[in-house]
């Protein structure tokens, strides 16, 4: 799952975050384009993508309109609409009028009665939310999505719905008379309950478990598995019984395929991903199925070399095409043969697969400036194209659903309708796709085998596959763990994409149908050549599987069955965990420091509940070699202060009971465990002796010894003392346990508790144990006394200070924020260190005098990246608050060294502004810092103090530039707090004199540079360079305007003569002649919104790219798919 921050926003089709409204806590967050939920780890996979087969009824749809009055005066953080009902379910809209911690209106659809619904509820809805533009309806901001609502995610929507600056701008039309109109279109489908669904029983096939974000891999593996010839080849790859699946891709794949063939339940993929060399983080990264397909096939091809199955990948998937360039006027032709394992077909602008193939072989003419250099013939007019020499038996077609949008400089998903046939004839039209060298005796008729579907947006989503394993009419949907039967309409037509129309069911209301973009559509198609069908869809049975593999996998299966039986019979058994002195000696000071033992690391026995306890003692005698008469068992008890200590010995009556009865008496937590301490006494000769009789005033105490020089705590033994006795009376005995001289002075401390904080107090040696409230199971820590002097360089001179240190110590790995993958240094800190303590230690390590210039950012344990927001100055109390992420504690922090103290910086707004001098070419990049309440006018005044102006009284303006277009001139009174320079370039410039005195018929127009690029045989306009404004006068011809532009830009005549001039409206160029009157094209006076129309200067882009353009968001990491082994 790649964790991505939102891309630059465009009102019509933005890339932004779509999350439950509680997204402020950073878990694995769904991020989308389009928008569409992304699967998150490792939930129940009931996300939008996996809901398709659950919608078993026609959807019911309705529109809800919410009129919110006095909108700008709302002072609450969030606001709910009235409840409305669609499809028998109650809904409401939730908004954050001032944004959910963002400078955008945040808006969600919420399940109104989620708090009272039964456990395990879920409902699926397609919906759109809109803020109506009350001046121009076409400017209404509307976004749609789909979601599976459940207890974890009872609301869903858009954190960044629309910029607050647009919403609250009275000129924009979203607030009229301070009233906001919100519309919600909701379509609901009833959901089938799949809790008890058995894929094997219903379909004969099993699914694959999702490790977090591995659905893209699961859909590909199912597709490959269901090509039996491929599966057979994998089984025949040589492996040995000594191979380990996690270290061998062939063995891991054989194991996975075997389980898919013979298991009754879904199969895990962890062995396979480990064999790829992936760590857990890779499994949580959403990757591209096409990329994985290529990488996996290359890896398998390599592993098959030198084996009986060498060449299988080529035999199945390899085809060849011929690239040619043929001159028109001379006899010259250049050809190049290339192989392919899959074909990438255009979706944009193509109605179906045949149209894509037509486009693939389309002839391009090389002429004019683009002539072909034909060796001795020089530059020639020529034809360039591609034809196919042969197609493979298994044809993999990758549909280009994702394309680069030059206008937005980002990837977008193409959700257009795109059809694909059940039978594909590539010999059509007399073999127009075939080269002259193609073997025409081979019939290139293909039948569809599988459709891989992507549901979601460009930054994530869900993958699943429709497959017909034996090429009959029966299709199956493989959606991670779930396999369902589907009909051909579901597998084909419903995966074409495009728009889905849902009729309204609200009688008497506006009955226009709802249209929703279908974010689920085919992404990869697999066709099998009809003439090769019998060879490829062959029988694969146990004889194809190596004997050692069968034995290994059957053994695994038996072990799994044993575990299942073990679980099924668990209610008949009790686990008895027996701790002994040996365990305490082994663990204290190494694994644990507080209390006495980690019960998960002691000897345990699985005993039938009906067994009498006395018989269990015989079991212990056999296992541990301690005869029954020398055993005494103590029950542990959890105290009110959360410590866990031996409480009392079992009575003879209790030992006569069954194990099950005893467990119930001792343990109110209703788990199947009984925890005991086994007391074993030894005489002076170390021979076993029966335990001494314990009377009421005998107390069993446990002793730990602390050495401040070694910073070491260890267990030294236990003693019975009389409650009326005093610690003074056992000092010699303790010295003996410690190996000290008998007269060594020692100090005693009682370890009382350690949660939530350590409590360890000095024990009065002269007071009786009863007076000091000492009881069975208490722990006494002791050390030599007096403690070491301060000059002895001992960090923790006594037991309390050492236990305090152990409780709170924390190694923290610090990383520079600009290099978030590399540890720079480690510091040993304490969890209870204050904010000031932490930054002081970091500053000290970096030899920095002022710790307030350190800014820290916490770590996201799921994405393994910095969180988006740094820690504000003294906003957290302790180090532990910086490290906690959900229920996990991280050990990573990121640091920055600022140029001014953080408290000062927090009161300021920093804007990155590019200042364009009136006469100089190069822009000056300024970082303007001003108090947050400042205005744009204050920014311009600050700029004047930092730059050289063409004249002292020059006026400045601030523009918002985005990908070489001017989107806004900021009013001088606008507050800077809401200005976002993360995505836009802010440009300051002098206002030319001619613009200050516009005549009645003058127009101020946008002028942009552009070039035309041909991508996939489509012409696209791409802007570049610096946009600017120009005054045009009434009746002025293009020739006159050109002269002024040439003078302004100082372009040499020779260069300028090559420039073309066009009027562009919505990206379409209309070329102008020198005699054209320019002002007739530009009738609108307002500059706002004028980027839709501009005067375009077409010429080649020779300008160097500026580094300040649209700065990238913080912390975005993309990892390619890699298989390391």
């Amino acid at each position: 799952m790649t964790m991505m921050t939102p891309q630059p926003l465009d009102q019509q089709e933005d890339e932004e975050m779509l999350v439950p409204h509680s997204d402020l806590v950073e878990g694995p967050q769904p991020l989308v384009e389009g928008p569409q939920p992304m699967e998150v780890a490792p939930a129940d996979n009931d996300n939008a993508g996996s809901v398709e087969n659950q919608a078993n009824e026609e959807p019911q749809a309705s529109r809800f309109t919410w009129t919110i009055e006095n909108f700008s005066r709302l002072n609450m953080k969030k606001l709910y609409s009235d409840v409305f009902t669609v499809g028998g379910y109650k809904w409401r809209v939730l908004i954050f009028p001032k944004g959910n911690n963002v400078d955008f209106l945040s808006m969600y659809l919420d399940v109104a009665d989620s708090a009272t619904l039964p456990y395990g509820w879920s409902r699926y809805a397609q919906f759109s939310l809109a803020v109506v533009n009350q001046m121009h309806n076409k400017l209404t901001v509307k976004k749609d999505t789909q979601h599976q609502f459940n207890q974890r995610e009872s609301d869903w929507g858009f954190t960044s719905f629309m910029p607050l600056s647009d919403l609250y701008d009275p000129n924009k039309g979203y607030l009229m008379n301070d009233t906001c109109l919100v519309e919600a279109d909701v379509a609901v489908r009833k959901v089938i309950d799949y809790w008890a669904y058995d894929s094997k029983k219903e379909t004969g096939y099993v699914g694959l478990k999702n490790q977090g974000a591995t659905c893209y891999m699961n859909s590909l593996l199912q597709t490959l598995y269901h090509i039996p010839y491929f599966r057979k080849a994998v089984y025949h790859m040589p492996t040995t019984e000594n191979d380990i699946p996690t270290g061998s891709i062939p063995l891991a794949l054989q194991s996975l395929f075997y389980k898919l063939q013979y298991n009754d339940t879904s199969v895990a993929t962890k062995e396979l991903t480990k064999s790829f060399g992936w760590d857990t983080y890779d499994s949580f990264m959403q990757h591209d199925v096409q990329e994985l397909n290529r990488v996996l096939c290359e890896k398998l091809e390599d592993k098959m070399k030198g084996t009986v199955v060498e060449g299988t990948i080529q035999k199945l998937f390899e085809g060849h095409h011929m690239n040619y360039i043929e001159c028109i006027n001379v006899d010259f032709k250049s050809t190049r043969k290339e192989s392919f394992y899959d074909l990438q077909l255009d979706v944009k602008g193509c109605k179906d697969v045949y149209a894509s193939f037509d486009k693939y072989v389309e002839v391009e003419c090389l002429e004019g400036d683009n002539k072909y250099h034909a060796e001795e013939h020089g530059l020639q007019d020529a034809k360039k194209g591609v034809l196919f020499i042969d197609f493979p038996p298994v044809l993999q077609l990758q549909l280009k659903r994702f394309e680069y949008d030059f206008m937005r400089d980002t990837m977008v998903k193409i959700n257009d309708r795109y059809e694909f046939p059940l039978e594909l004839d590539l010999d059509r039209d007399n073999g127009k796709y075939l080269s002259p060298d193609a073997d025409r005796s081979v019939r290139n008729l293909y039948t569809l085998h599988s459709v891989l579907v992507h549901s979601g947006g460009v930054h994530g989503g869900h993958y699943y596959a429709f497959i017909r394993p034996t090429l009959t009419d029966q299709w199956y949907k493989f959606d991670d763990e779930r396999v369902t039967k589907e009909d051909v309409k579901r597998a084909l037509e419903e995966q074409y994409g495009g728009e889905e129309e849902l009729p309204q069911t609200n009688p008497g209301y506006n009955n226009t149908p709802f249209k929703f973009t279908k974010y689920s559509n085919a992404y990869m198609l697999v066709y099998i050549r009809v003439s090769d069908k019998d060879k490829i869809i062959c029988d694969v049975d146990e004889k194809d599987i190596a004997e050692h593999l069968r034995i290994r996998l059957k053994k695994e299966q038996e072990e799994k069955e044993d575990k299942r039986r073990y679980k099924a019979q668990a209610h008949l058994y009790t686990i008895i965990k027996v701790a002994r002195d040996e365990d305490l000696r082994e663990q204290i000071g190494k694994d644990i420091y507080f209390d006495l033992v980690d019960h998960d690391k002691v000897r345990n026995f699985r005993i039938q509940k009906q067994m009498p306890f006395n018989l269990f003692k015989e079991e212990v005698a056999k296992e541990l070699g301690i005869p029954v008469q020398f055993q005494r068992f103590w029950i542990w008890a959890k105290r009110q202060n959360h410590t866990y200590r031996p409480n009392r010995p079992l009575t003879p009556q209790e030992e006569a009971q069954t194990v099950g009865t005893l467990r119930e008496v001792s343990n109110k937590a209703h788990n199947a465990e009984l925890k005991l301490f086994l007391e074993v006494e030894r005489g002076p000769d170390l021979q076993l002796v029966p335990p001494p009789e314990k009377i009421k005033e005998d107390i069993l105490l446990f002793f730990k010894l602390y050495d401040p020089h070694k910073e070491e705590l260890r267990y030294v033994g236990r003693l019975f003392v009389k409650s009326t006795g005093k610690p003074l009376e056992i000092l010699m005995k303790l010295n003996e346990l410690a190996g000290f001289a008998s007269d060594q002075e020692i100090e005693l401390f009682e370890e009382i508790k350690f949660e939530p904080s350590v409590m360890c107090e000095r024990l009065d040696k002269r007071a009786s144990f009863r007076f000091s409230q000492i009881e069975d199971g208490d722990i006494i820590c002791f050390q030599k006394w007096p403690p070491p002097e301060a000059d002895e360089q001992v960090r923790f001179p006594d037991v309390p200070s050492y236990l305090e240190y152990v409780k709170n110590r924390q190694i923290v790995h610090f990383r520079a924020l600009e290099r978030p993958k590399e540890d720079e240094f480690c510091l040993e800190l304490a969890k209870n260190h204050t904010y000031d303590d932490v930054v002081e230690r970091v500053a000290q390590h970096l030899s920095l005098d002022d710790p307030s210039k350190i800014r820290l950012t916490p770590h996201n344990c799921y994405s393994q990246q910095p969180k988006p927001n740094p820690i504000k100055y003294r906003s957290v109390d302790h180090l532990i608050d910086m490290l906690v992420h959900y229920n996990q504690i991280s050990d990573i922090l990121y640091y920055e060294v600022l140029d001014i103290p953080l408290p000062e910086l927090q009161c300021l707004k920093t804007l990155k502004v590019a200042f364009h001098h009136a006469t100089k070419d190069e822009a000056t990049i300024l970082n303007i810092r001003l108090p947050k309440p400042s205005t744009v006018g204050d920014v311009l005044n600050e700029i004047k103090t930092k730059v050289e102006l063409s004249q002292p009284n020059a006026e400045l303006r601030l523009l918002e530039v985005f990908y070489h277009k001017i989107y806004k001139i900021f009013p001088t009174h606008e507050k800077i707090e809401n200005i976002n320079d993360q995505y836009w370039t802010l440009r300051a410039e002098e206002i030319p004199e001619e613009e200050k005195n516009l005549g009645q018929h003058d127009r101020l127009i946008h002028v942009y540079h552009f070039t035309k690029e041909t991508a996939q045989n489509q012409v696209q306009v791409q802007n570049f360079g610096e946009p600017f404004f120009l005054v045009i006068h009434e009746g002025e011809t293009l020739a006159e305007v050109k002269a002024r532009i040439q003078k302004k830009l100082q372009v040499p005549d020779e260069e300028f003569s090559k420039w073309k001039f066009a009027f562009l409206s919505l990206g379409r160029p209309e070329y102008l002649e020198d005699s054209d009157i320019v002002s007739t094209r530009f009738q609108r006076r307002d500059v706002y919104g004028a980027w839709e129309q501009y005067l375009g200067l077409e010429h080649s882009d020779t300008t160097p790219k500026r580094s300040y353009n649209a700065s990238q968001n913080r912390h975005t990491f993309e990892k390619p798919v890699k298989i390391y082994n």
Side-chain angles (χ1 to χ4, degrees), residues 68 276 322 428 560 623 664 763 863 887 889 900 949-950 1033 1059 1081:
I68 311 169
F276 290 171
M322 176 186 80
R428 69 196 283 257
K560 198 174 172 186
E623 286 287 320
E664 283 160 24
L763 193 63
S863 66
N887 54 352
I889 293 180
I900 61 169
L949 299 172
S950 62
H1033 310 296
W1059 288 23
R1081 305 301 176 111

Side-chain angles (χ1 to χ4, degrees), residues 57 696 915 994 1039:
E57 290 181 12
K696 192 175 179 186
F915 176 72
E994 65 166 3

Side-chain angles (χ1 to χ4, degrees), residues 178-197:
D178 207 15
T179 297
C180 182
L181 290 182
V182 170
E183 283 182 352
D185 288 343
V186 182
V188 175
R189 284 188 169 117
K190 294 276 191 267
V191 174
I192 300 167
D193 177 17
Y194 269 109
W195 286 101
Y197 185 79

Side-chain angles (χ1 to χ4, degrees), residues 494-734:
E494 295 199 15
Q495 308 315 320
Y496 289 165
E499 285 188 328
E500 184 172 10
E501 205 168 272
L502 300 171
Q504 280 225 24
T505 55
N506 210 351
Y509 192 65
N510 171 10
N511 278 312
T512 54
F514 296 154
K515 283 191 175 180
F516 289 96
T517 301
K518 291 177 76 172
Y519 293 110
S520 302
N521 35 51
Y523 181 59
M524 176 175 160
L525 306 171
V526 178
Y527 282 93
I528 289 178
R529 189 154 45 206
V530 173
S531 56
D532 293 314
K533 185 171 74 174
D534 294 339
K535 186 171 78 180
I536 289 162
I537 309 295
C538 55
D539 290 332
V540 184
D541 50 35
E542 282 221 337
K543 69 176 184 298
D544 291 301
I545 301 162
E547 190 185 0
H548 76 85
L549 187 64
R550 286 205 302 273
I551 293 165
R552 179 201 289 261
L553 295 171
K554 277 181 178 161
K555 188 179 170 196
E556 266 181 38
Q557 210 54 34
E558 284 161 13
E559 285 168 3
K560 198 174 172 186
E561 190 53 35
D562 288 346
K563 274 186 190 166
R564 192 197 59 74
R565 256 198 312 276
Y566 183 92
K567 270 187 180 172
Q569 296 172 357
H571 64 288
L572 304 173
Y573 289 84
T574 287
I575 303 293
I576 303 182
K577 295 187 169 180
V578 177
R580 301 186 290 153
D581 268 354
E582 289 84 343
D583 298 309
L584 276 59
R585 275 200 182 83
E586 181 63 35
Q587 292 186 24
I588 292 169
K590 296 187 188 80
D591 302 336
I592 62 164
Y593 294 86
F594 301 99
D595 268 353
L596 293 169
V597 76
D598 177 351
H599 292 274
D600 289 336
K601 294 180 180 172
V602 303
R603 187 64 175 270
N604 61 63
F605 299 82
R606 187 172 187 251
I607 303 295
Q608 279 196 332
K609 287 180 179 176
Q610 296 310 312
M611 180 187 277
F613 189 81
N614 283 320
L615 276 180
F616 163 69
K617 289 175 78 172
E618 289 176 17
E619 193 84 6
V620 171
K622 268 190 284 186
E623 286 287 320
L624 302 180
I626 300 163
V628 170
Q629 67 271 28
F630 300 130
Q631 301 174 14
R632 177 154 65 193
F633 286 94
W634 291 64
I635 281 187
W636 294 78
K638 188 162 194 172
R639 298 182 176 181
Q640 279 183 326
N641 64 12
H642 304 298
T643 57
Y644 207 58
R645 308 283 175 81
N647 186 42
R648 60 175 180 81
L650 290 178
T651 63
Q653 293 83 352
E654 285 172 329
E655 292 195 352
Q657 293 175 349
T658 64
V659 164
T661 311
L662 196 54
R663 200 269 307 162
E664 283 160 24
V665 170
S666 78
N667 188 343
K668 296 180 179 63
H670 300 299
N671 62 24
E673 291 182 355
L674 172 60
K675 291 173 183 165
L676 299 172
F677 174 71
L678 174 55
E679 177 200 343
V680 177
E681 297 294 341
R682 294 184 184 272
D685 54 359
L686 298 180
Q687 292 300 311
L688 293 172
V689 294
E693 187 186 346
K694 181 185 185 306
I695 56 174
K696 192 175 179 186
E697 67 168 42
D698 289 334
I699 303 173
L700 178 64
L701 299 181
F702 295 84
F703 294 91
K704 298 177 184 178
L705 172 68
Y706 174 55
D707 181 337
H709 292 284
K710 293 181 180 174
E711 290 184 12
E712 179 186 87
L713 187 72
R714 62 189 177 92
Y715 174 71
V716 289
R718 56 185 163 73
L719 296 173
F720 278 104
V721 297
K722 299 289 182 192
S723 61
T724 51
K726 297 173 183 175
L728 274 175
E729 297 159 11
I730 60 166
L731 294 183
M732 281 179 68
K733 184 69 183 161
L734 291 182

Side-chain angles (χ1 to χ4, degrees), residues 639 645-646 700-702 750 773-780:
R639 298 182 176 181
R645 308 283 175 81
L700 178 64
L701 299 181
F702 295 84
E750 184 193 357
Q773 297 184 327
I774 299 296
E775 57 187 52
D776 279 322
D778 279 350
I779 298 169
I780 309 293

Side-chain angles (χ1 to χ4, degrees), residues 238-256:
T239 52
T240 71
E241 56 269 31
N242 299 323
D243 290 348
I244 304 164
T246 53
S248 159
I249 293 174
L251 183 58
L253 203 54
Q254 287 172 350
S255 170
L256 183 87

